[in-house]
Amino acid sequence: MPKHVELDASPQPTLLRALTLLTGLGFLATLYLGLFVAGTDIQQGEIQRIFYIHMPSFFGAFTAFGATVVGGMLYLARKQAAWDRIALAGAEVGLAFALINLLTGAVWARPIWNTWWTWDPRLTSAAVMCLIYAAYLMLRAGIDDSNQKRNFMSVYGIFAFVSVLTTLFIIRIVPETIHPVIVGASPQNAQGSFEATSGVFMALAPSMLLWLTLMPATLIWHRYRLETRREALERLKFQALGD
């Protein structure tokens, strides 16, 4: 291995450590609110408490996939590898959150709909969204040329966001769905709300805020740093083989 070439072993930035601690404490706090502060739903019972992770996890995925769009656009504009790392980190974190959304939905559906899965429009679109971003990661791993990979995946990541928007709005586009419209344009067209359950807003609002902001930002930053070190390690390997 060439002399004077080392991996970056710098410690985590203070802000990242603070964000990690705040995110962990926030997650525990929102779990407590959902499990013990919010009232038991009079129709669905205790299983409804999964809602406080199920819905926020989708919006966390929305934020993370949005980072993939921003990273891809800025990479195409500036050709800086850092933006591609952000796009990759957003796709991985977003996929993890989207899978949490799917799995918690299946657990919720079993006692309520008497099935783990149904080809409901939103469930189907959410599954397709996960497959699209899984394909993003598989395709990325299959392209050897770095520049070609970054250019292609930037474009892919931008267009893949259509699946996120489709999943978000499909229950307003396709009325034949058993998925409830929790928030409607008016109380009259909102369905499946939890108005009779006490503490819903108190538990949901902090969880939504956490998953929309701190959770994706913290995990994307960690994944960005990991990718930076992985790329540095790859460069060292090529240098070593070249010598």
Side-chain angles (χ1 to χ4, degrees):
M1 181 176 290
K3 296 181 180 179
H4 312 301
V5 179
E6 298 179 355
L7 286 173
D8 179 12
S10 59
Q12 290 183 4
T14 302
L15 179 57
L16 179 56
R17 292 200 300 271
L19 281 176
T20 303
L21 177 62
L22 187 59
T23 300
L25 293 175
F27 181 67
L28 292 176
T30 55
L31 276 181
Y32 177 82
L33 290 173
L35 291 174
F36 302 108
V37 174
T40 303
D41 187 75
I42 58 176
Q43 293 183 337
Q44 301 183 39
E46 298 291 349
I47 191 62
Q48 180 269 335
R49 296 183 187 280
I50 207 168
F51 170 71
Y52 303 113
I53 291 180
H54 175 69
M55 182 176 175
S57 63
F58 173 80
F59 286 95
F62 184 93
T63 299
F65 290 145
T68 298
V69 174
V70 173
M73 293 176 66
L74 289 174
Y75 176 77
L76 292 174
R78 301 181 181 181
K79 301 299 181 182
Q80 295 174 345
W83 293 113
D84 178 67
R85 294 185 206 118
I86 291 174
L88 170 61
E92 291 191 354
V93 172
L95 179 58
F97 286 177
L99 290 173
I100 291 172
N101 176 257
L102 267 186
L103 292 174
T104 53
V107 172
W108 191 2
R110 182 64 181 88
I112 302 304
W113 294 340
N114 198 33
T115 182
W116 294 100
W117 182 263
T118 180
W119 294 104
D120 177 76
R122 170 163 280 180
L123 293 179
T124 304
S125 64
V128 170
M129 178 184 72
C130 288
L131 291 174
I132 287 173
Y133 281 96
Y136 172 100
L137 300 178
M138 294 174 66
L139 287 170
R140 188 181 181 96
I143 302 175
D144 293 327
D145 183 86
S146 296
N147 291 329
Q148 183 184 20
K149 174 170 60 179
R150 289 167 178 162
N151 284 319
F152 178 75
M153 299 318 300
S154 293
V155 175
Y156 185 111
I158 293 169
F159 283 101
F161 197 72
V162 172
S163 67
V164 183
L165 296 175
T166 301
T167 303
L168 180 62
F169 295 113
I170 195 166
I171 58 174
R172 300 186 185 280
I173 300 171
V174 182
E176 293 79 16
T177 174
I178 59 176
H179 221 98
V181 180
I182 300 299
V183 179
S186 67
Q188 289 72 31
N189 64 20
Q191 303 169 7
S193 62
F194 309 115
E195 294 177 358
T197 305
S198 62
V200 170
F201 181 79
M202 186 183 298
L204 180 61
S207 187
M208 285 287 290
L209 183 62
L210 177 74
W211 286 81
L212 269 169
T213 57
L214 288 181
M215 289 273 279
T218 303
L219 292 175
I220 286 172
W221 194 348
H222 278 293
R223 183 61 185 90
Y224 173 91
R225 284 171 53 82
L226 180 62
E227 183 63 15
T228 300
R229 294 189 176 189
R230 190 200 66 78
E231 290 180 0
L233 180 60
E234 287 295 319
R235 288 193 295 270
L236 288 177
K237 288 167 62 177
F238 282 123
Q239 290 178 22
L241 291 173
D243 289 351

PDB file of all heavy atoms in Angstrom, residues 7-8 75 80-86 88-89 140 146 149-150 223-239:
ATOM      1  N   LEU A   7      -7.019   6.298   5.424  1.00  0.00           N
ATOM      2  CA  LEU A   7      -8.455   6.556   5.448  1.00  0.00           C
ATOM      3  C   LEU A   7      -8.760   7.673   6.424  1.00  0.00           C
ATOM      4  O   LEU A   7      -8.072   7.829   7.429  1.00  0.00           O
ATOM      5  CB  LEU A   7      -9.220   5.298   5.861  1.00  0.00           C
ATOM      6  CG  LEU A   7      -9.334   4.187   4.825  1.00  0.00           C
ATOM      7  CD1 LEU A   7      -9.959   2.963   5.460  1.00  0.00           C
ATOM      8  CD2 LEU A   7     -10.148   4.625   3.625  1.00  0.00           C
ATOM      9  N   ASP A   8      -9.790   8.430   6.125  1.00  0.00           N
ATOM     10  CA  ASP A   8     -10.233   9.484   7.032  1.00  0.00           C
ATOM     11  C   ASP A   8     -10.817   8.845   8.288  1.00  0.00           C
ATOM     12  O   ASP A   8     -11.851   8.200   8.227  1.00  0.00           O
ATOM     13  CB  ASP A   8     -11.275  10.361   6.343  1.00  0.00           C
ATOM     14  CG  ASP A   8     -11.798  11.477   7.246  1.00  0.00           C
ATOM     15  OD1 ASP A   8     -11.186  11.703   8.319  1.00  0.00           O
ATOM     16  OD2 ASP A   8     -12.806  12.106   6.890  1.00  0.00           O
ATOM     17  N   TYR A  75     -26.175  16.774  -8.588  1.00  0.00           N
ATOM     18  CA  TYR A  75     -25.040  16.073  -9.189  1.00  0.00           C
ATOM     19  C   TYR A  75     -25.001  16.317 -10.694  1.00  0.00           C
ATOM     20  O   TYR A  75     -23.935  16.582 -11.267  1.00  0.00           O
ATOM     21  CB  TYR A  75     -25.098  14.565  -8.928  1.00  0.00           C
ATOM     22  CG  TYR A  75     -23.972  13.867  -9.651  1.00  0.00           C
ATOM     23  CD1 TYR A  75     -22.671  13.901  -9.158  1.00  0.00           C
ATOM     24  CD2 TYR A  75     -24.196  13.237 -10.881  1.00  0.00           C
ATOM     25  CE1 TYR A  75     -21.622  13.326  -9.862  1.00  0.00           C
ATOM     26  CE2 TYR A  75     -23.154  12.660 -11.590  1.00  0.00           C
ATOM     27  CZ  TYR A  75     -21.872  12.702 -11.072  1.00  0.00           C
ATOM     28  OH  TYR A  75     -20.826  12.144 -11.773  1.00  0.00           O
ATOM     29  N   GLN A  80     -20.445  16.862  -8.789  1.00  0.00           N
ATOM     30  CA  GLN A  80     -19.698  16.661  -7.543  1.00  0.00           C
ATOM     31  C   GLN A  80     -20.182  15.373  -6.888  1.00  0.00           C
ATOM     32  O   GLN A  80     -21.379  15.186  -6.648  1.00  0.00           O
ATOM     33  CB  GLN A  80     -19.897  17.851  -6.596  1.00  0.00           C
ATOM     34  CG  GLN A  80     -19.328  19.144  -7.142  1.00  0.00           C
ATOM     35  CD  GLN A  80     -19.658  20.338  -6.261  1.00  0.00           C
ATOM     36  OE1 GLN A  80     -20.528  20.266  -5.391  1.00  0.00           O
ATOM     37  NE2 GLN A  80     -18.985  21.450  -6.492  1.00  0.00           N
ATOM     38  N   ALA A  81     -19.225  14.482  -6.563  1.00  0.00           N
ATOM     39  CA  ALA A  81     -19.574  13.165  -6.034  1.00  0.00           C
ATOM     40  C   ALA A  81     -20.354  13.242  -4.732  1.00  0.00           C
ATOM     41  O   ALA A  81     -21.134  12.340  -4.408  1.00  0.00           O
ATOM     42  CB  ALA A  81     -18.306  12.339  -5.832  1.00  0.00           C
ATOM     43  N   ALA A  82     -20.158  14.312  -3.969  1.00  0.00           N
ATOM     44  CA  ALA A  82     -20.847  14.451  -2.683  1.00  0.00           C
ATOM     45  C   ALA A  82     -22.357  14.415  -2.865  1.00  0.00           C
ATOM     46  O   ALA A  82     -23.080  13.831  -2.050  1.00  0.00           O
ATOM     47  CB  ALA A  82     -20.428  15.741  -1.986  1.00  0.00           C
ATOM     48  N   TRP A  83     -22.855  15.019  -3.942  1.00  0.00           N
ATOM     49  CA  TRP A  83     -24.306  15.041  -4.169  1.00  0.00           C
ATOM     50  C   TRP A  83     -24.820  13.656  -4.524  1.00  0.00           C
ATOM     51  O   TRP A  83     -25.936  13.278  -4.154  1.00  0.00           O
ATOM     52  CB  TRP A  83     -24.653  16.040  -5.266  1.00  0.00           C
ATOM     53  CG  TRP A  83     -24.395  17.453  -4.868  1.00  0.00           C
ATOM     54  CD1 TRP A  83     -23.454  18.307  -5.380  1.00  0.00           C
ATOM     55  CD2 TRP A  83     -25.067  18.181  -3.831  1.00  0.00           C
ATOM     56  NE1 TRP A  83     -23.496  19.514  -4.733  1.00  0.00           N
ATOM     57  CE2 TRP A  83     -24.479  19.467  -3.776  1.00  0.00           C
ATOM     58  CE3 TRP A  83     -26.096  17.862  -2.949  1.00  0.00           C
ATOM     59  CZ2 TRP A  83     -24.897  20.437  -2.878  1.00  0.00           C
ATOM     60  CZ3 TRP A  83     -26.515  18.829  -2.039  1.00  0.00           C
ATOM     61  CH2 TRP A  83     -25.925  20.098  -2.009  1.00  0.00           C
ATOM     62  N   ASP A  84     -24.009  12.871  -5.212  1.00  0.00           N
ATOM     63  CA  ASP A  84     -24.399  11.498  -5.528  1.00  0.00           C
ATOM     64  C   ASP A  84     -24.470  10.656  -4.252  1.00  0.00           C
ATOM     65  O   ASP A  84     -25.332   9.790  -4.121  1.00  0.00           O
ATOM     66  CB  ASP A  84     -23.408  10.890  -6.508  1.00  0.00           C
ATOM     67  CG  ASP A  84     -23.730   9.444  -6.833  1.00  0.00           C
ATOM     68  OD1 ASP A  84     -24.767   9.201  -7.467  1.00  0.00           O
ATOM     69  OD2 ASP A  84     -22.939   8.561  -6.443  1.00  0.00           O
ATOM     70  N   ARG A  85     -23.562  10.905  -3.314  1.00  0.00           N
ATOM     71  CA  ARG A  85     -23.605  10.178  -2.039  1.00  0.00           C
ATOM     72  C   ARG A  85     -24.881  10.504  -1.277  1.00  0.00           C
ATOM     73  O   ARG A  85     -25.486   9.635  -0.648  1.00  0.00           O
ATOM     74  CB  ARG A  85     -22.387  10.540  -1.186  1.00  0.00           C
ATOM     75  CG  ARG A  85     -21.067  10.087  -1.757  1.00  0.00           C
ATOM     76  CD  ARG A  85     -19.926  10.369  -0.795  1.00  0.00           C
ATOM     77  NE  ARG A  85     -18.680  10.522  -1.539  1.00  0.00           N
ATOM     78  CZ  ARG A  85     -17.945  11.621  -1.564  1.00  0.00           C
ATOM     79  NH1 ARG A  85     -18.312  12.678  -0.860  1.00  0.00           N
ATOM     80  NH2 ARG A  85     -16.834  11.659  -2.264  1.00  0.00           N
ATOM     81  N   ILE A  86     -25.293  11.760  -1.323  1.00  0.00           N
ATOM     82  CA  ILE A  86     -26.542  12.146  -0.667  1.00  0.00           C
ATOM     83  C   ILE A  86     -27.723  11.442  -1.324  1.00  0.00           C
ATOM     84  O   ILE A  86     -28.645  10.951  -0.646  1.00  0.00           O
ATOM     85  CB  ILE A  86     -26.723  13.673  -0.709  1.00  0.00           C
ATOM     86  CG1 ILE A  86     -25.684  14.355   0.198  1.00  0.00           C
ATOM     87  CG2 ILE A  86     -28.142  14.074  -0.296  1.00  0.00           C
ATOM     88  CD1 ILE A  86     -25.685  15.864   0.124  1.00  0.00           C
ATOM     89  N   LEU A  88     -27.714   8.564  -2.917  1.00  0.00           N
ATOM     90  CA  LEU A  88     -27.670   7.157  -2.523  1.00  0.00           C
ATOM     91  C   LEU A  88     -28.166   6.974  -1.096  1.00  0.00           C
ATOM     92  O   LEU A  88     -28.977   6.080  -0.812  1.00  0.00           O
ATOM     93  CB  LEU A  88     -26.241   6.619  -2.658  1.00  0.00           C
ATOM     94  CG  LEU A  88     -25.985   5.234  -2.071  1.00  0.00           C
ATOM     95  CD1 LEU A  88     -26.848   4.185  -2.762  1.00  0.00           C
ATOM     96  CD2 LEU A  88     -24.508   4.876  -2.164  1.00  0.00           C
ATOM     97  N   ALA A  89     -27.685   7.823  -0.195  1.00  0.00           N
ATOM     98  CA  ALA A  89     -28.102   7.719   1.206  1.00  0.00           C
ATOM     99  C   ALA A  89     -29.604   7.918   1.340  1.00  0.00           C
ATOM    100  O   ALA A  89     -30.281   7.202   2.092  1.00  0.00           O
ATOM    101  CB  ALA A  89     -27.353   8.752   2.049  1.00  0.00           C
ATOM    102  N   ARG A 140     -27.553   0.202  -9.393  1.00  0.00           N
ATOM    103  CA  ARG A 140     -26.358   0.952  -9.008  1.00  0.00           C
ATOM    104  C   ARG A 140     -25.187   0.011  -8.744  1.00  0.00           C
ATOM    105  O   ARG A 140     -24.049   0.290  -9.126  1.00  0.00           O
ATOM    106  CB  ARG A 140     -26.671   1.789  -7.763  1.00  0.00           C
ATOM    107  CG  ARG A 140     -25.568   2.747  -7.384  1.00  0.00           C
ATOM    108  CD  ARG A 140     -25.881   3.534  -6.138  1.00  0.00           C
ATOM    109  NE  ARG A 140     -24.795   4.442  -5.868  1.00  0.00           N
ATOM    110  CZ  ARG A 140     -24.763   5.710  -6.229  1.00  0.00           C
ATOM    111  NH1 ARG A 140     -25.802   6.244  -6.846  1.00  0.00           N
ATOM    112  NH2 ARG A 140     -23.713   6.474  -5.976  1.00  0.00           N
ATOM    113  N   SER A 146     -17.860   4.674 -12.695  1.00  0.00           N
ATOM    114  CA  SER A 146     -18.382   5.600 -11.673  1.00  0.00           C
ATOM    115  C   SER A 146     -19.179   6.742 -12.281  1.00  0.00           C
ATOM    116  O   SER A 146     -20.269   7.083 -11.804  1.00  0.00           O
ATOM    117  CB  SER A 146     -17.230   6.158 -10.834  1.00  0.00           C
ATOM    118  OG  SER A 146     -16.598   5.132 -10.115  1.00  0.00           O
ATOM    119  N   LYS A 149     -22.420   5.472 -13.773  1.00  0.00           N
ATOM    120  CA  LYS A 149     -23.324   5.098 -12.683  1.00  0.00           C
ATOM    121  C   LYS A 149     -23.968   6.331 -12.063  1.00  0.00           C
ATOM    122  O   LYS A 149     -25.186   6.356 -11.841  1.00  0.00           O
ATOM    123  CB  LYS A 149     -22.544   4.313 -11.625  1.00  0.00           C
ATOM    124  CG  LYS A 149     -23.346   4.005 -10.382  1.00  0.00           C
ATOM    125  CD  LYS A 149     -22.600   3.015  -9.493  1.00  0.00           C
ATOM    126  CE  LYS A 149     -21.263   3.522  -9.028  1.00  0.00           C
ATOM    127  NZ  LYS A 149     -20.577   2.559  -8.146  1.00  0.00           N
ATOM    128  N   ARG A 150     -23.181   7.326 -11.757  1.00  0.00           N
ATOM    129  CA  ARG A 150     -23.723   8.515 -11.102  1.00  0.00           C
ATOM    130  C   ARG A 150     -24.692   9.267 -11.995  1.00  0.00           C
ATOM    131  O   ARG A 150     -25.736   9.737 -11.533  1.00  0.00           O
ATOM    132  CB  ARG A 150     -22.578   9.426 -10.664  1.00  0.00           C
ATOM    133  CG  ARG A 150     -21.782   8.862  -9.482  1.00  0.00           C
ATOM    134  CD  ARG A 150     -20.497   9.604  -9.259  1.00  0.00           C
ATOM    135  NE  ARG A 150     -19.780   9.073  -8.098  1.00  0.00           N
ATOM    136  CZ  ARG A 150     -18.493   9.278  -7.853  1.00  0.00           C
ATOM    137  NH1 ARG A 150     -17.771  10.013  -8.698  1.00  0.00           N
ATOM    138  NH2 ARG A 150     -17.919   8.763  -6.783  1.00  0.00           N
ATOM    139  N   ARG A 223     -25.156   7.647   6.743  1.00  0.00           N
ATOM    140  CA  ARG A 223     -24.919   6.849   5.534  1.00  0.00           C
ATOM    141  C   ARG A 223     -24.001   7.579   4.575  1.00  0.00           C
ATOM    142  O   ARG A 223     -23.178   6.942   3.883  1.00  0.00           O
ATOM    143  CB  ARG A 223     -26.265   6.528   4.855  1.00  0.00           C
ATOM    144  CG  ARG A 223     -26.127   5.648   3.622  1.00  0.00           C
ATOM    145  CD  ARG A 223     -25.528   4.307   3.970  1.00  0.00           C
ATOM    146  NE  ARG A 223     -25.283   3.500   2.781  1.00  0.00           N
ATOM    147  CZ  ARG A 223     -24.159   3.497   2.081  1.00  0.00           C
ATOM    148  NH1 ARG A 223     -23.135   4.272   2.446  1.00  0.00           N
ATOM    149  NH2 ARG A 223     -24.011   2.722   1.017  1.00  0.00           N
ATOM    150  N   TYR A 224     -24.082   8.886   4.500  1.00  0.00           N
ATOM    151  CA  TYR A 224     -23.185   9.691   3.664  1.00  0.00           C
ATOM    152  C   TYR A 224     -21.737   9.514   4.109  1.00  0.00           C
ATOM    153  O   TYR A 224     -20.832   9.305   3.290  1.00  0.00           O
ATOM    154  CB  TYR A 224     -23.605  11.162   3.735  1.00  0.00           C
ATOM    155  CG  TYR A 224     -22.656  12.103   3.034  1.00  0.00           C
ATOM    156  CD1 TYR A 224     -22.841  12.424   1.693  1.00  0.00           C
ATOM    157  CD2 TYR A 224     -21.581  12.675   3.710  1.00  0.00           C
ATOM    158  CE1 TYR A 224     -21.977  13.287   1.039  1.00  0.00           C
ATOM    159  CE2 TYR A 224     -20.704  13.537   3.065  1.00  0.00           C
ATOM    160  CZ  TYR A 224     -20.906  13.837   1.738  1.00  0.00           C
ATOM    161  OH  TYR A 224     -20.036  14.687   1.086  1.00  0.00           O
ATOM    162  N   ARG A 225     -21.508   9.584   5.408  1.00  0.00           N
ATOM    163  CA  ARG A 225     -20.145   9.419   5.930  1.00  0.00           C
ATOM    164  C   ARG A 225     -19.618   8.011   5.644  1.00  0.00           C
ATOM    165  O   ARG A 225     -18.445   7.827   5.305  1.00  0.00           O
ATOM    166  CB  ARG A 225     -20.124   9.702   7.442  1.00  0.00           C
ATOM    167  CG  ARG A 225     -20.199  11.182   7.792  1.00  0.00           C
ATOM    168  CD  ARG A 225     -20.399  11.393   9.285  1.00  0.00           C
ATOM    169  NE  ARG A 225     -19.410  10.692  10.072  1.00  0.00           N
ATOM    170  CZ  ARG A 225     -18.171  11.139  10.329  1.00  0.00           C
ATOM    171  NH1 ARG A 225     -17.785  12.313   9.826  1.00  0.00           N
ATOM    172  NH2 ARG A 225     -17.331  10.449  11.080  1.00  0.00           N
ATOM    173  N   LEU A 226     -20.493   7.024   5.785  1.00  0.00           N
ATOM    174  CA  LEU A 226     -20.086   5.654   5.497  1.00  0.00           C
ATOM    175  C   LEU A 226     -19.714   5.488   4.024  1.00  0.00           C
ATOM    176  O   LEU A 226     -18.709   4.835   3.692  1.00  0.00           O
ATOM    177  CB  LEU A 226     -21.222   4.694   5.853  1.00  0.00           C
ATOM    178  CG  LEU A 226     -20.961   3.200   5.608  1.00  0.00           C
ATOM    179  CD1 LEU A 226     -19.793   2.714   6.457  1.00  0.00           C
ATOM    180  CD2 LEU A 226     -22.219   2.390   5.922  1.00  0.00           C
ATOM    181  N   GLU A 227     -20.497   6.079   3.123  1.00  0.00           N
ATOM    182  CA  GLU A 227     -20.203   5.989   1.699  1.00  0.00           C
ATOM    183  C   GLU A 227     -18.906   6.720   1.358  1.00  0.00           C
ATOM    184  O   GLU A 227     -18.129   6.262   0.498  1.00  0.00           O
ATOM    185  CB  GLU A 227     -21.361   6.563   0.881  1.00  0.00           C
ATOM    186  CG  GLU A 227     -21.201   6.451  -0.629  1.00  0.00           C
ATOM    187  CD  GLU A 227     -21.154   5.014  -1.119  1.00  0.00           C
ATOM    188  OE1 GLU A 227     -21.521   4.095  -0.358  1.00  0.00           O
ATOM    189  OE2 GLU A 227     -20.745   4.815  -2.287  1.00  0.00           O
ATOM    190  N   THR A 228     -18.643   7.844   2.010  1.00  0.00           N
ATOM    191  CA  THR A 228     -17.401   8.576   1.786  1.00  0.00           C
ATOM    192  C   THR A 228     -16.197   7.708   2.132  1.00  0.00           C
ATOM    193  O   THR A 228     -15.207   7.641   1.386  1.00  0.00           O
ATOM    194  CB  THR A 228     -17.379   9.861   2.629  1.00  0.00           C
ATOM    195  OG1 THR A 228     -18.489  10.683   2.265  1.00  0.00           O
ATOM    196  CG2 THR A 228     -16.096  10.643   2.398  1.00  0.00           C
ATOM    197  N   ARG A 229     -16.282   7.000   3.245  1.00  0.00           N
ATOM    198  CA  ARG A 229     -15.178   6.124   3.651  1.00  0.00           C
ATOM    199  C   ARG A 229     -15.071   4.905   2.736  1.00  0.00           C
ATOM    200  O   ARG A 229     -13.967   4.435   2.452  1.00  0.00           O
ATOM    201  CB  ARG A 229     -15.363   5.699   5.106  1.00  0.00           C
ATOM    202  CG  ARG A 229     -15.239   6.870   6.075  1.00  0.00           C
ATOM    203  CD  ARG A 229     -15.209   6.426   7.513  1.00  0.00           C
ATOM    204  NE  ARG A 229     -15.002   7.565   8.407  1.00  0.00           N
ATOM    205  CZ  ARG A 229     -14.770   7.463   9.707  1.00  0.00           C
ATOM    206  NH1 ARG A 229     -14.725   6.264  10.267  1.00  0.00           N
ATOM    207  NH2 ARG A 229     -14.589   8.534  10.445  1.00  0.00           N
ATOM    208  N   ARG A 230     -16.206   4.398   2.287  1.00  0.00           N
ATOM    209  CA  ARG A 230     -16.156   3.253   1.376  1.00  0.00           C
ATOM    210  C   ARG A 230     -15.465   3.634   0.077  1.00  0.00           C
ATOM    211  O   ARG A 230     -14.638   2.864  -0.451  1.00  0.00           O
ATOM    212  CB  ARG A 230     -17.578   2.760   1.081  1.00  0.00           C
ATOM    213  CG  ARG A 230     -17.621   1.430   0.332  1.00  0.00           C
ATOM    214  CD  ARG A 230     -18.967   1.227  -0.345  1.00  0.00           C
ATOM    215  NE  ARG A 230     -19.195   2.201  -1.397  1.00  0.00           N
ATOM    216  CZ  ARG A 230     -18.650   2.128  -2.607  1.00  0.00           C
ATOM    217  NH1 ARG A 230     -17.837   1.129  -2.931  1.00  0.00           N
ATOM    218  NH2 ARG A 230     -18.903   3.059  -3.515  1.00  0.00           N
ATOM    219  N   GLU A 231     -15.785   4.809  -0.458  1.00  0.00           N
ATOM    220  CA  GLU A 231     -15.138   5.259  -1.684  1.00  0.00           C
ATOM    221  C   GLU A 231     -13.642   5.470  -1.481  1.00  0.00           C
ATOM    222  O   GLU A 231     -12.831   5.151  -2.367  1.00  0.00           O
ATOM    223  CB  GLU A 231     -15.796   6.552  -2.178  1.00  0.00           C
ATOM    224  CG  GLU A 231     -17.217   6.345  -2.700  1.00  0.00           C
ATOM    225  CD  GLU A 231     -17.854   7.636  -3.175  1.00  0.00           C
ATOM    226  OE1 GLU A 231     -17.175   8.699  -3.098  1.00  0.00           O
ATOM    227  OE2 GLU A 231     -19.017   7.609  -3.619  1.00  0.00           O
ATOM    228  N   ALA A 232     -13.269   6.014  -0.306  1.00  0.00           N
ATOM    229  CA  ALA A 232     -11.847   6.192  -0.013  1.00  0.00           C
ATOM    230  C   ALA A 232     -11.123   4.848   0.054  1.00  0.00           C
ATOM    231  O   ALA A 232      -9.994   4.704  -0.425  1.00  0.00           O
ATOM    232  CB  ALA A 232     -11.677   6.951   1.296  1.00  0.00           C
ATOM    233  N   LEU A 233     -11.792   3.854   0.642  1.00  0.00           N
ATOM    234  CA  LEU A 233     -11.207   2.515   0.719  1.00  0.00           C
ATOM    235  C   LEU A 233     -11.036   1.913  -0.670  1.00  0.00           C
ATOM    236  O   LEU A 233     -10.013   1.268  -0.954  1.00  0.00           O
ATOM    237  CB  LEU A 233     -12.087   1.611   1.583  1.00  0.00           C
ATOM    238  CG  LEU A 233     -11.617   0.162   1.764  1.00  0.00           C
ATOM    239  CD1 LEU A 233     -10.247   0.120   2.429  1.00  0.00           C
ATOM    240  CD2 LEU A 233     -12.638  -0.624   2.582  1.00  0.00           C
ATOM    241  N   GLU A 234     -12.013   2.128  -1.541  1.00  0.00           N
ATOM    242  CA  GLU A 234     -11.898   1.628  -2.909  1.00  0.00           C
ATOM    243  C   GLU A 234     -10.711   2.269  -3.623  1.00  0.00           C
ATOM    244  O   GLU A 234      -9.980   1.597  -4.363  1.00  0.00           O
ATOM    245  CB  GLU A 234     -13.191   1.919  -3.684  1.00  0.00           C
ATOM    246  CG  GLU A 234     -14.365   1.042  -3.285  1.00  0.00           C
ATOM    247  CD  GLU A 234     -14.124  -0.416  -3.612  1.00  0.00           C
ATOM    248  OE1 GLU A 234     -13.573  -0.695  -4.701  1.00  0.00           O
ATOM    249  OE2 GLU A 234     -14.464  -1.275  -2.776  1.00  0.00           O
ATOM    250  N   ARG A 235     -10.497   3.560  -3.412  1.00  0.00           N
ATOM    251  CA  ARG A 235      -9.356   4.225  -4.044  1.00  0.00           C
ATOM    252  C   ARG A 235      -8.041   3.654  -3.532  1.00  0.00           C
ATOM    253  O   ARG A 235      -7.096   3.462  -4.296  1.00  0.00           O
ATOM    254  CB  ARG A 235      -9.427   5.734  -3.785  1.00  0.00           C
ATOM    255  CG  ARG A 235     -10.523   6.450  -4.574  1.00  0.00           C
ATOM    256  CD  ARG A 235     -10.348   7.946  -4.534  1.00  0.00           C
ATOM    257  NE  ARG A 235     -10.513   8.483  -3.193  1.00  0.00           N
ATOM    258  CZ  ARG A 235     -11.683   8.893  -2.695  1.00  0.00           C
ATOM    259  NH1 ARG A 235     -12.793   8.796  -3.429  1.00  0.00           N
ATOM    260  NH2 ARG A 235     -11.754   9.387  -1.475  1.00  0.00           N
ATOM    261  N   LEU A 236      -7.981   3.371  -2.235  1.00  0.00           N
ATOM    262  CA  LEU A 236      -6.776   2.774  -1.673  1.00  0.00           C
ATOM    263  C   LEU A 236      -6.513   1.389  -2.269  1.00  0.00           C
ATOM    264  O   LEU A 236      -5.364   1.020  -2.535  1.00  0.00           O
ATOM    265  CB  LEU A 236      -6.901   2.674  -0.151  1.00  0.00           C
ATOM    266  CG  LEU A 236      -6.809   3.988   0.644  1.00  0.00           C
ATOM    267  CD1 LEU A 236      -7.016   3.721   2.115  1.00  0.00           C
ATOM    268  CD2 LEU A 236      -5.463   4.661   0.416  1.00  0.00           C
ATOM    269  N   LYS A 237      -7.565   0.620  -2.457  1.00  0.00           N
ATOM    270  CA  LYS A 237      -7.410  -0.719  -3.038  1.00  0.00           C
ATOM    271  C   LYS A 237      -6.860  -0.632  -4.460  1.00  0.00           C
ATOM    272  O   LYS A 237      -5.953  -1.396  -4.839  1.00  0.00           O
ATOM    273  CB  LYS A 237      -8.749  -1.449  -3.035  1.00  0.00           C
ATOM    274  CG  LYS A 237      -9.213  -1.896  -1.658  1.00  0.00           C
ATOM    275  CD  LYS A 237     -10.662  -2.328  -1.656  1.00  0.00           C
ATOM    276  CE  LYS A 237     -10.905  -3.519  -2.556  1.00  0.00           C
ATOM    277  NZ  LYS A 237     -12.319  -3.969  -2.497  1.00  0.00           N
ATOM    278  N   PHE A 238      -7.384   0.308  -5.253  1.00  0.00           N
ATOM    279  CA  PHE A 238      -6.897   0.459  -6.624  1.00  0.00           C
ATOM    280  C   PHE A 238      -5.434   0.919  -6.636  1.00  0.00           C
ATOM    281  O   PHE A 238      -4.631   0.480  -7.447  1.00  0.00           O
ATOM    282  CB  PHE A 238      -7.767   1.453  -7.392  1.00  0.00           C
ATOM    283  CG  PHE A 238      -9.068   0.857  -7.853  1.00  0.00           C
ATOM    284  CD1 PHE A 238     -10.288   1.427  -7.491  1.00  0.00           C
ATOM    285  CD2 PHE A 238      -9.079  -0.259  -8.692  1.00  0.00           C
ATOM    286  CE1 PHE A 238     -11.476   0.874  -7.924  1.00  0.00           C
ATOM    287  CE2 PHE A 238     -10.272  -0.801  -9.136  1.00  0.00           C
ATOM    288  CZ  PHE A 238     -11.471  -0.239  -8.758  1.00  0.00           C
ATOM    289  N   GLN A 239      -5.098   1.815  -5.708  1.00  0.00           N
ATOM    290  CA  GLN A 239      -3.717   2.290  -5.636  1.00  0.00           C
ATOM    291  C   GLN A 239      -2.781   1.155  -5.255  1.00  0.00           C
ATOM    292  O   GLN A 239      -1.689   1.005  -5.792  1.00  0.00           O
ATOM    293  CB  GLN A 239      -3.602   3.431  -4.618  1.00  0.00           C
ATOM    294  CG  GLN A 239      -4.264   4.716  -5.071  1.00  0.00           C
ATOM    295  CD  GLN A 239      -4.176   5.806  -4.021  1.00  0.00           C
ATOM    296  OE1 GLN A 239      -3.312   5.764  -3.146  1.00  0.00           O
ATOM    297  NE2 GLN A 239      -5.089   6.769  -4.094  1.00  0.00           N
TER     298      GLN A 239
END
